[in-house]
Amino acid sequence: MENVQHTLTIENRKRITATGIEGVRDFSPAAFTLIYGEGRIIVGGSDMKITAFSKQTGAFAAVGNITSVKYAAKGESLAKKLFR
């Protein structure tokens, strides 16, 4: 899915939808990580649940209390993030 258009929408901090998503990693009710062509999207919150994900189309949706969204570039290591 390299070079695929990516969008991210958050509605009232209760619903998140995205396109261009290649995979979901590290999901819990408090946080999850989405994989897309340029890296990762880390979403934090509480009571979060995935309501839809299609690896074929790249469409993703979740609901819950969304408190943070962070983009991380491909290849960015934990050590690099800690020592910026």
Side-chain angles (χ1 to χ4, degrees):
M1 285 183 117
E2 199 71 33
N3 297 324
V4 171
Q5 189 76 6
H6 160 68
T7 63
L8 182 87
T9 305
I10 300 172
E11 301 169 25
N12 297 318
R13 296 178 64 173
K14 298 289 183 194
R15 178 174 170 75
I16 185 168
T17 57
T19 62
I21 302 303
E22 298 174 5
V24 179
R25 189 177 290 170
D26 305 325
F27 180 82
S28 77
F32 58 86
T33 302
L34 303 176
I35 307 302
Y36 78 113
E38 295 182 33
R40 300 179 317 267
I41 304 166
I42 300 103
V43 180
S46 61
D47 300 323
M48 294 190 293
K49 298 175 188 165
I50 294 175
T51 58
F53 174 59
S54 170
K55 193 166 178 93
Q56 289 79 23
T57 65
F60 173 86
V63 295
N65 299 309
I66 300 159
T67 58
S68 66
V69 175
K70 180 182 178 189
Y71 280 82
K74 265 187 184 177
E76 188 173 344
S77 70
L78 178 60
K80 184 177 178 182
K81 288 189 273 186
L82 289 174
F83 296 108
R84 281 193 233 189

